[in-house]
């Protein structure tokens, strides 16, 4: 097992990336964001786009998801048909149906066995929130982003997409109920 110090204010440690590569796991961010990279407002999704929720489900179902505590609490439940790992600093925190880790590196290290036993044994899915995305963007291999054509002015944001990522797939859509335009985009290193 590996435990590295990759905290909010620490510099990126390339050893972390080498360890994940050794595990042969693809680290995938799955997120919807607006034009300003907003991913949340008031601890909730700032839009409801049914097609995006179905897209998220198709990508992550049968796999292992890692999220921060606030992300889980905003959903109010675990995601069915997935192994749910939650990162929190609170050592007394518990939530039925989750596995708890106290750092990103601990969650990734402990989730390896779950990933290998899952229906999606090659990928681990990071699903939020903003701080978790920020701390894992350098080790991500693929980004599954939904670009929502709104400007929400929320309080949780996705980091800037590093230049190492190239858009390899894109689908434009308009939500039938709301008229909101959005794009499913895949970025690969």
């Amino acid at each position: 097992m590996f435990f590295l110090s990759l905290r909010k204010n620490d510099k990126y440690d390339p050893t972390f990336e080498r360890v994940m590569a050794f595990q042969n796991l693809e680290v995938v961010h799955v997120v919807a964001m607006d034009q300003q990279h907003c991913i949340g407002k008031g601890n909730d999704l700032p839009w409801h786009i049914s097609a995006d929720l179905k897209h998220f489900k198709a990508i992550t179902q049968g796999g292992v998801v890692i999220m921060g505590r606030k992300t889980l609490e905003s959903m109010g439940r675990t995601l069915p048909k997935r192994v749910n790992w939650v990162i929190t600093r609170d050592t007394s925190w518990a939530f039925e149906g989750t596995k708890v880790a106290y750092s990103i590196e601990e969650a990734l290290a402990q989730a390896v066995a779950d990933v290998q036993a899952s229906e999606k044994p090659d990928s681990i899915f990071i699903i939020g929130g903003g701080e978790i995305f920020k701390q894992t963007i350098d080790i991500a291999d693929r980004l599954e982003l939904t670009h929502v054509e709104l400007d929400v002015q929320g309080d949780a944001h996705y980091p800037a997409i590093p230049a190492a990522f190239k858009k390899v797939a894109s689908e434009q859509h308009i939500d039938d109920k709301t008229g909101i335009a959005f794009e499913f985009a895949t970025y690969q290193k």
Side-chain angles (χ1 to χ4, degrees):
M1 296 202 123
F2 59 93
F3 298 93
L4 301 174
S5 178
L6 186 63
R7 305 273 186 251
K8 182 176 179 179
N9 297 318
D10 287 353
K11 292 185 177 179
Y12 171 65
D13 182 346
T15 308
F16 192 57
E17 186 170 358
R18 285 196 303 274
V19 170
M20 287 312 293
F22 176 75
Q23 297 291 343
N24 294 320
L25 290 181
E26 177 185 45
V27 176
V28 182
H29 281 193
V30 185
V31 64
M33 63 183 181
D34 78 356
Q35 296 165 329
Q36 304 303 318
H37 288 226
C38 171
I39 61 172
K41 183 174 183 177
N43 209 25
D44 201 2
L45 282 175
W47 48 76
H48 180 83
I49 300 172
S50 182
D52 179 51
L53 298 174
K54 290 176 185 172
H55 182 68
F56 175 86
K57 182 178 179 180
I59 292 169
T60 63
Q61 191 167 348
V64 176
V65 295
I66 294 179
M67 69 193 95
R69 175 189 52 80
K70 289 179 188 175
T71 297
L72 176 75
E73 290 175 348
S74 73
M75 293 186 301
R77 64 180 179 88
T78 59
L79 294 171
K81 299 182 182 175
R82 298 163 192 87
V83 177
N84 291 256
W85 276 91
V86 177
I87 301 166
T88 181
R89 288 184 209 106
D90 182 351
T91 56
S92 64
W93 186 88
F95 196 100
E96 187 176 338
T98 66
K99 295 185 177 188
V100 179
Y102 303 105
S103 68
I104 290 167
E105 45 292 329
E106 180 184 355
L108 289 165
Q110 292 186 16
V112 168
D114 292 329
V115 172
Q116 292 168 344
S118 78
E119 295 173 22
K120 298 187 177 179
D122 299 320
S123 301
I124 191 160
F125 303 100
I126 309 289
I127 64 167
E131 198 57 43
I132 302 298
F133 286 132
K134 180 180 174 185
Q135 292 182 42
T136 59
I137 190 76
D138 290 328
I139 63 163
D141 301 297
R142 178 169 47 114
L143 310 176
E144 292 290 346
L145 305 182
T146 302
H147 296 283
V148 180
E149 296 299 316
L150 292 174
D151 185 355
V152 174
Q153 302 297 316
D155 50 23
H157 293 84
Y158 191 77
I161 300 168
F165 285 97
K166 302 298 179 218
K167 189 186 290 188
V168 297
S170 174
E171 293 178 24
Q172 302 288 332
H173 299 275
I174 296 178
D175 184 60
D176 293 336
K177 290 183 181 178
T178 63
I180 298 171
F182 61 98
E183 172 193 17
F184 294 142
T186 300
Y187 295 79
Q188 196 82 43
K189 265 190 188 169

